[in-house]
Amino acid sequence: MTPVDLHCHSNVSDGLLPPREVVRKAHARGCQLFALTDHDDTRGLAAAADEAAQLGMCFISGVEISVSWGKHTLHIVGLGFDPDHPAMVAGLASVRAGRAERGERMAASLAAVGIEGVLEGARKYADNPEMISRTHFARYLVEAGKAKDARSVFKKYLVRGKPGYVEHEWARLHEAIDWIRDAGGVAVLAHPGRYELGNETLRVLLTEYRRLGGEGIEVVSGCHGAADVGRFSRLAQEFGFLASCGTDYHATGEGAREPGLNVDLPIGCEPVWTRWWSPEVPLQENLP
């Protein structure tokens, strides 16, 4: 197992735990290098970095940016950037601004099929009101008895063709990559196995992503099985991408893995973390 987790969420976005608790959970499982990557918000980084420093863990800044690419929604993880860089601050603020309006439209879609009060219910789960998300809606729908668990929600609601789904324009791919690069970071395509893309469309995406300055892809992810790991390992090497890994932890019981450890990258992959860290030569100070 690799003691690295470069994709985790706290209650600053759609995780359940505060940033410090997520760091402590990762540390308890042996994590040595950690990044908090909340959706479209970096306000948990200072607390996470401080907790990691107290525990003797190496920490790098992270964020997961919501992106529209054609008809598809993608997520781009930024790693090792300056969270106070003006381009990053303004860009993330612009993405967050659209979430409230999207939430109202999602609630209206659910109300149209007889499920009332979902926005108010979802807000109970959103510690950061600017970051109301499908995950918060899913948790409330479970509470309301509309599905047995969050995973089941996304088979019945909130996805394309189902009640609660609405079209929404996030950041453009080039914008997200530019914000990350301008702030000194590395752009990583999150969990590529989750996107419903045929092989040809995936290759078009990876070609464009590389041309725009994307440098990495998640080979190991909490939602990737062994076949996905092998597939994206081969693609990373073919396209010359750095390979990343992350559990994509949100809450215990809501995903395949707890935070902190990931399976090893396949032989031949170049780890993204060599930009900042080696287990033999730890960082001398945490990156904010």
Side-chain angles (χ1 to χ4, degrees):
M1 300 293 284
T2 297
V4 174
D5 196 345
L6 300 181
H7 189 158
C8 273
H9 298 274
S10 76
N11 64 351
V12 170
S13 61
D14 57 351
L16 281 182
L17 300 178
R20 290 182 183 274
E21 290 190 34
V22 180
V23 173
R24 287 196 289 268
K25 284 182 74 72
H27 177 261
R29 298 187 70 236
C31 186
Q32 298 177 31
L33 176 67
F34 183 81
L36 185 70
T37 57
D38 277 313
H39 292 282
D40 307 318
D41 205 323
T42 61
R43 283 174 284 188
L45 294 183
D50 180 69
E51 189 68 25
Q54 293 185 44
L55 294 170
M57 295 169 64
C58 294
F59 180 86
I60 59 173
S61 58
V63 70
E64 186 174 12
I65 303 176
S66 305
V67 164
S68 294
W69 184 72
K71 295 182 178 181
H72 302 281
T73 297
L74 310 175
H75 292 154
I76 305 298
V77 166
L79 296 172
F81 58 90
D82 174 8
D84 295 320
H85 190 280
M88 179 64 79
V89 171
L92 295 182
S94 70
V95 178
R96 292 195 301 271
R99 283 186 175 269
E101 187 266 342
R102 184 186 72 147
E104 292 175 359
R105 291 190 291 129
M106 289 167 61
S109 175
L110 289 164
V113 296
I115 307 175
E116 301 282 352
V118 181
L119 181 57
E120 293 74 15
R123 283 173 175 153
K124 296 188 300 182
Y125 290 93
D127 292 322
N128 180 353
E130 289 187 29
M131 290 303 300
I132 192 77
S133 74
R134 292 191 309 162
T135 301
H136 300 123
F137 274 70
R139 289 173 182 149
Y140 175 72
L141 288 169
V142 172
E143 176 191 321
K146 301 302 180 181
K148 66 179 180 179
D149 54 33
R151 182 170 297 181
S152 299
V153 169
F154 289 104
K155 295 179 180 179
K156 299 173 64 177
Y157 308 103
L158 311 180
V159 294
R160 189 179 297 276
K162 302 292 185 179
Y165 177 81
V166 297
E167 296 285 350
H168 185 75
E169 286 295 320
W170 301 106
R172 296 299 183 183
L173 182 59
H174 71 89
E175 293 175 325
I177 294 172
D178 285 348
W179 300 338
I180 294 165
R181 289 171 60 87
D182 289 349
V186 174
V188 174
L189 179 65
H191 42 60
R194 272 182 49 183
Y195 309 127
E196 296 182 357
L197 304 173
N199 187 59
E200 182 177 344
T201 303
L202 175 63
R203 297 183 72 86
V204 170
L205 168 61
L206 294 178
T207 299
E208 181 178 349
Y209 173 68
R210 183 66 172 166
R211 177 180 61 81
L212 293 173
E215 295 183 73
I217 64 172
E218 283 184 353
V219 170
V220 173
S221 169
C223 66
H224 283 180
D228 291 317
V229 171
R231 179 189 185 195
F232 293 110
S233 168
R234 293 189 293 273
L235 287 169
Q237 293 175 67
E238 176 185 344
F239 281 84
F241 289 126
L242 299 169
S244 190
C245 65
T247 58
D248 198 8
Y249 174 79
H250 287 75
T252 298
E254 289 190 4
R257 298 177 192 161
E258 291 288 285
L261 298 176
N262 283 283
V263 299
D264 294 336
L265 292 173
I267 294 173
C269 287
E270 181 180 355
V272 67
W273 55 84
T274 58
R275 292 288 183 91
W276 311 284
W277 177 81
S278 163
E280 290 78 28
V281 185
L283 287 175
Q284 296 303 305
E285 59 183 37
N286 292 303
L287 300 178

